Amino acid sequence: SVAVEDPKFTLQEVLDTFKSCLSENKEVFLEHYVAGWLGLVRFMNSLGSVFSFIAKDAVNKIQILINHLNGENGAHYVTVQSMVKYELDNQLVDLTKRGSFPESGCRTLLRLHRALRWLELFLERLRTSTEESKTSVMCSEAYNQSLSQHHAWIIRKAAGTAFWALPGRATFFDVMNVGTPEQVVAMLGDALPLISEVYQVTENLYAQNNILDLP
Ligand code: 1PZ
């Protein structure tokens, strides 16, 4: 289970995982990308059961990618770059409408990739927030600027409801288990450029291959 209790769990470790995602020539290692996501899910679960429907979808997608990694064609899934090339070269992706490949690595990773943009926007708000700032507002602003555009009305509605259950800023910082608010802010300042780079490398790759709108 990914929700194992770990007393030493801190959000810092999770964000550090994204550091190890990029190779020297800016390829994204799928194994580390997936590990980063597992950490985020663990963090999300520690925020309460309201978020479990969101976590569940993320876990499903993470599992699909792990299955590809561990599958007989796993060698093609070492990096996101090799995955995209392999799946496109071999027509393993539904390009215009859902069909034979509902679990392609390309469309599955795209969902997590879009969510990573939400995370980036949300953590940046959190980093620059003040004691009076509301996490629910920061969260929904980040969502409306990113992920919501890809979601049907019913999902947007459910997400919006979940945001109101987010703990306040002080509790949120505590759950991160990083230290004082000043230390959290510093940690976020270090981690965000890395997340942003992983996002941008993936975004460029998907744009070059014209697969940013996979069904
Ligand atoms: C910390 C608070 C968590 C707030 C999370 C904000 C994102 C809200 C997203 C709500 C989506 C919930 C349900 C599933 C939706 C799926 O339909 C879509 C599209 O997949 P498809 O149907 O095409 O297969 N799934 C997604 O968009 C992936 C969502 C992953 C959300 C991960 C959130 C990351 C949280 C990190 C915590 C710090």
Side-chain angles (χ1 to χ4, degrees):
S1 157
V2 294
V4 192
E5 289 294 329
D6 176 355
K8 294 194 300 293
F9 168 76
T10 88
L11 191 66
Q12 170 119 47
E13 293 168 47
V14 176
L15 299 183
D16 282 348
T17 314
F18 283 98
K19 206 184 291 186
S20 53
C21 274
L22 282 178
S23 75
E24 259 172 59
N25 54 346
K26 306 289 180 200
E27 293 202 286
V28 180
F29 291 120
L30 191 57
E31 189 184 350
H32 297 296
Y33 194 88
V34 159
W37 269 102
L38 282 173
L40 288 175
V41 163
R42 209 149 55 112
F43 178 71
M44 202 167 20
N45 280 332
S46 72
L47 293 175
S49 55
V50 190
F51 301 99
S52 56
F53 93 100
I54 300 174
K56 206 171 168 187
D57 185 69
V59 168
N60 286 342
K61 290 179 165 58
I62 293 163
Q63 189 61 55
I64 291 171
L65 294 175
I66 291 176
N67 293 346
H68 283 304
L69 266 172
N70 295 338
E72 54 182 319
N73 296 309
H76 296 293
Y77 288 84
V78 171
T79 67
V80 177
Q81 284 74 6
S82 64
M83 173 189 85
V84 167
K85 182 170 175 12
Y86 168 70
E87 289 193 346
L88 290 179
D89 285 355
N90 293 283
Q91 285 96 42
L92 297 171
V93 184
D94 293 322
L95 294 173
T96 51
K97 60 174 168 50
R98 299 202 68 171
S100 319
F101 306 105
E103 301 203 333
S104 74
C106 287
R107 70 89 58 196
T108 303
L109 188 121
L110 178 60
R111 271 57 186 178
L112 296 178
H113 168 69
R114 291 167 174 169
L116 198 63
R117 176 70 181 150
W118 163 81
L119 184 73
E120 185 189 344
L121 293 172
F122 174 60
L123 292 181
E124 178 57 19
R125 278 180 168 70
L126 207 54
R127 187 181 77 82
T128 55
S129 64
T130 64
E131 267 177 66
E132 299 79 51
S133 304
K134 297 231 174 307
T135 48
S136 57
V137 172
M138 295 187 264
C139 190
S140 59
E141 283 176 356
Y143 178 72
N144 291 339
Q145 266 186 35
S146 56
L147 205 46
S148 79
Q149 296 151 27
H150 305 286
H151 285 163
W153 178 85
I154 185 78
I155 300 283
R156 292 205 296 266
K157 191 90 181 147
T161 306
F163 296 159
W164 291 109
L166 271 177
R169 183 176 177 271
T171 308
F172 210 89
F173 277 18
D174 280 348
V175 175
M176 288 181 176
N177 203 15
V178 170
T180 64
E182 292 73 24
Q183 288 170 309
V184 172
V185 167
M187 183 276 288
L188 290 176
D190 291 339
L192 273 165
L194 301 164
I195 292 183
S196 176
E197 191 177 15
V198 171
Y199 176 84
Q200 209 49 59
V201 167
T202 310
E203 179 75 7
N204 294 344
L205 175 73
Y206 270 63
Q208 281 157 15
N209 286 280
N210 218 347
I211 50 171
L212 279 169
D213 295 307
L214 294 179

